[in-house]
Amino acid sequence: MITTETLHHPGAPGTPTTLPALLWRAGPGWRMISSAVLGGGIGERHWFLNAQVPHGYTRRDPHRHLAEIAAPALATPPACPSAPLPPGVGLMTAADILATAAHTTEDGAEALVTAGVGVSGWAAVPASHTVPHPGPGTINILVALPVPLTDAALVNAVATATEAKVQALHDNGYDASGTPTDAVCVAARTPGDAAPAEHFAGPRSRWGARLARAVHRATHEAVAHDARLRTTPPEPGS
C-alpha cells in the first residue's frame, strides 16, 4: 500500500541546497485522520507528504509551504502546478527523513516512520519546566490499513499508534513519551456496502494489534537510525 517517491525542494533561503520529501500517492478511496498542519482532522485524502525542512524553520505558513512542495508532483495537468490539489496530508520535520525512514508491515497493516529524537521528554511536566534544544526532533508516523474504520476507530487507531511509539522509545532506552512536535496519520479504506467499517482499533483488536506491532517495529528502527546518526562523526568537509 505505502509506496513513496522522493521529491526535492529548496532548502534554507539563500543556499543552493535542496531537501527531500517523501510522497505517497494513495489515490481515491482513502480516509485519513491526522494531527498534520496540512489536511489534519478526518476526511477523504488522496496523498501524504513528509517533508524535511531546515533546522530553525521560521515560515509561519507551513500548510501553504507543504502544498507548494507537493504541487509540482500532484498537479493535474503537471504543467499547471497552480491548479487546485486534491486533498492530502502534509507533515514536516527537521530530521533526516531519508536516513531514518523505516517501513514495516504486519499482516496487512503498514507503518512508515521517520525520527529525530534530539528533543524528547514526557508529555506531562511541571508548567515551569523547559527543555533545551540540542538538535532536530520529531517522530512522524504514517499508518495504512486495508480496511475501513469508523470515526471512533480512527481515533482509537491514533491512540494505539501513539502507545506503540512510546513503547518503542522505551525499548530504545529513552525515558520519554516522544518529542514536542510528533505527528501521526492513519489511513484506512473508505467504507462501502461491500466493506463495512471496523468499529475497534485498540491494541487488542484485530487491526489495532497489527497496527501496534507495525508502528512499534518501524519506530524502533527509525529511532535507532537516528541514534546512529547522532553518534557518527561527520564526514570531513561536511
Side-chain angles (χ1 to χ4, degrees):
M1 290 180 292
I2 301 176
T3 302
T4 62
E5 59 191 87
T6 302
L7 310 180
H8 289 89
H9 64 100
T15 69
T17 59
T18 62
L19 291 172
L22 298 176
L23 174 67
W24 174 39
R25 300 175 188 261
W30 290 91
R31 289 202 318 147
M32 300 186 191
I33 180 171
S34 180
S35 60
V37 66
L38 173 66
I42 299 177
E44 295 279 343
R45 303 288 186 267
H46 293 205
W47 51 272
F48 169 90
L49 183 78
N50 185 7
Q52 184 175 332
V53 296
H55 301 172
Y57 183 80
T58 58
R59 282 189 61 159
R60 297 299 183 185
D61 58 347
H63 60 293
R64 185 172 291 109
H65 187 194
L66 286 162
E68 291 170 358
I69 295 170
L74 295 170
T76 305
C80 188
S82 61
L85 297 178
V89 168
L91 311 180
M92 57 176 49
T93 177
D96 188 330
I97 61 172
L98 298 184
T100 66
H103 180 203
T104 61
T105 62
E106 180 72 30
D107 291 334
E110 296 189 29
L112 175 65
V113 178
T114 61
V117 199
V119 181
S120 62
W122 291 101
V125 297
S128 60
H129 185 70
T130 58
V131 179
H133 201 299
T138 290
I139 299 173
N140 283 343
I141 298 173
L142 168 64
V143 175
L145 299 177
V147 296
L149 299 180
T150 63
D151 284 359
L154 283 169
V155 175
N156 205 177
V158 169
T160 298
T162 302
E163 291 179 31
K165 175 199 72 175
V166 176
Q167 183 179 349
L169 284 168
H170 179 270
D171 291 347
N172 265 290
Y174 285 90
D175 184 24
S177 56
T179 85
T181 54
D182 291 351
V184 62
C185 175
V186 175
R189 302 301 301 193
T190 301
D193 294 338
E198 298 278 332
H199 290 272
F200 305 102
R204 294 299 172 264
S205 67
R206 179 173 60 165
W207 286 104
R210 296 171 181 179
L211 177 161
R213 291 191 292 270
V215 171
H216 176 266
R217 290 206 334 270
T219 304
H220 195 284
E221 292 177 18
V223 169
H225 293 331
D226 177 66
R228 284 191 288 272
L229 287 178
R230 296 177 187 281
T231 57
T232 301
E235 293 290 334
S238 63

